[in-house]
Amino acid sequence: MLRPFHLFNMNVYMLNQPYGMVIMLVGVIGILCTVLNQTKVTRIAAFASLILVVLLYIAALLKVKASFGFIPFKGVEGFFTRQIAFKWGWYILFAGPVLSVLGVLASKKRVYSEGQ
């Protein structure tokens, strides 16, 4: 997810482990409810996972921007901020919730009639 100073990679669990566990739990609940045909809970899980991933991205952006705020020289602060790179994992992290929301929005409601 993040690569500070091109030395090591930070994934979701290194950024904030409890928040990463919540994202994973919502994803597992969404998958289980899809298998068990619980459409309302699946919808809620899809939208909740998208909101959680967007909030994680905003928090990561704010963390990168504020991590070197103690340095009084703006040029040095800007240099250190640019040394923290966002990795391609964000695309994959966003792909899951976006696909689930698109699947929930595109799914047709099943109508069952009795006696047929």
Side-chain angles (χ1 to χ4, degrees):
M1 296 299 181
L2 293 177
R3 187 171 174 103
F5 301 108
H6 305 286
L7 297 175
F8 62 95
N9 291 323
M10 292 178 67
N11 57 14
V12 174
Y13 300 108
M14 288 179 74
L15 290 173
N16 192 345
Q17 188 174 8
Y19 197 80
M21 294 297 288
V22 169
I23 290 174
M24 187 173 65
L25 181 65
V26 169
V28 168
I29 288 171
I31 291 170
L32 285 176
C33 290
T34 301
V35 170
L36 297 174
N37 202 15
Q38 300 292 322
T39 57
K40 290 181 182 180
V41 181
T42 303
R43 265 194 195 123
I44 292 170
F47 285 110
S49 66
L50 183 63
I51 291 169
L52 287 173
V53 170
V54 168
L55 286 176
L56 179 67
Y57 183 72
I58 291 170
L61 279 175
L62 293 175
K63 187 174 188 177
V64 167
K65 297 292 181 190
S67 59
F68 297 107
F70 64 91
I71 298 174
F73 304 110
K74 296 296 179 192
V76 175
E77 176 188 355
F79 172 74
F80 284 137
T81 301
R82 285 189 302 272
Q83 295 304 311
I84 300 175
F86 283 85
K87 300 294 286 181
W88 57 270
W90 288 102
Y91 298 126
I92 305 243
L93 190 63
F94 272 103
V98 168
L99 286 175
S100 66
V101 167
L102 289 176
V104 164
L105 293 177
S107 66
K108 296 178 182 177
K109 292 186 178 182
R110 296 182 181 167
V111 178
Y112 296 105
S113 58
E114 292 192 30
Q116 291 183 355

